[in-house]
Amino acid sequence: MHDASQQMMAMQSMLMRRLMQGLADTELSAGQPKVLAYLRSHEGKPQKEIAAACMIEPGSLTVLLARMEKQDLIERRFREGDRRARCIYLTDRGRTLAARVIDEFYAVEQLAFSGISEEERALFLRVCGEILENLRSEDADG
C-alpha cells in the first residue's frame, strides 16, 4: 500500500475513534453521527438524498435509519403535499444528540488541526476537496 493511502486511512480511523470515544455515552453506532449532523441542517430529505450526501450505500442507510427510528432519533413522515415519498426528520431526542455530535465533530477537528497554521489548514482542505472530486469522478465513471 502506498504511503498516501495508509495516511488517509489512518486519519479516517483515528478521527472516527476520537469521535466515537467522545460520544461513547450516547450509544450511537459509527454511521449515525454523520447522519444526525446532516439532518440537523437538512431535515425533511428523502432517504436517497441522505445516502448520497453522507456517502452511505442506500441499503446500509436503510438499516441505520431503522435503528435510529427505534432509538427515537428520527421519524419518517410524508412531505406536505406529497404522499408518495416519506422523508426523514429528527425527533426532539435526535436534535439534542445532533447538537452534541456537532460539538464533538468540532472538538475532534480542533484537536486534529492543533499546531497547524491557517494557511496549512486551507491548503489541506483544498487538496482534500480535489482528492474527493477525483475519487467521485472515478466512481461515476464506473
Side-chain angles (χ1 to χ4, degrees):
M1 188 180 316
H2 297 288
D3 289 342
S5 295
Q6 284 180 315
Q7 290 289 327
M8 287 186 280
M9 288 192 304
M11 278 191 301
Q12 194 276 336
S13 292
M14 287 302 301
L15 286 169
M16 279 305 297
R17 183 176 301 140
R18 292 287 185 156
L19 177 69
M20 296 311 291
Q21 284 172 349
L23 297 170
D25 64 320
T26 66
E27 299 180 10
L28 293 175
S29 66
Q32 292 175 331
K34 68 179 164 181
V35 172
L36 286 171
Y38 176 77
L39 285 173
R40 183 148 187 249
S41 55
H42 298 90
E43 278 197 79
K45 295 292 184 184
Q47 188 170 324
K48 183 178 180 179
E49 285 184 41
I50 297 167
C54 294
M55 292 182 266
I56 299 174
E57 290 296 320
S60 298
L61 183 63
T62 298
V63 173
L64 196 66
L65 290 176
R67 183 166 186 229
M68 291 174 77
E69 198 167 25
K70 285 180 186 170
Q71 293 172 295
D72 190 35
L73 300 175
I74 61 150
E75 60 184 0
R76 300 167 200 254
R77 297 192 311 241
F78 290 107
R79 191 180 296 174
E80 185 107 10
D82 184 358
R83 302 290 296 167
R84 294 171 293 143
R86 290 185 353 160
C87 296
I88 310 301
Y89 295 85
L90 292 171
T91 62
D92 288 340
R93 182 171 188 265
R95 275 185 206 86
T96 299
L97 271 178
R100 168 96 184 275
V101 164
I102 288 169
D103 288 345
E104 199 59 41
F105 273 129
Y106 180 74
V108 170
E109 186 176 314
Q110 290 298 106
L111 174 62
F113 283 105
S114 63
I116 295 174
S117 72
E118 285 300 316
E119 295 80 20
E120 290 172 315
R121 179 181 175 146
L123 176 61
F124 173 79
L125 293 175
R126 183 182 60 76
V127 171
C128 283
E130 291 173 9
I131 290 169
L132 185 57
E133 284 306 309
N134 289 343
L135 294 171
R136 278 187 179 141
S137 67
E138 183 67 27
D139 194 39
D141 293 342

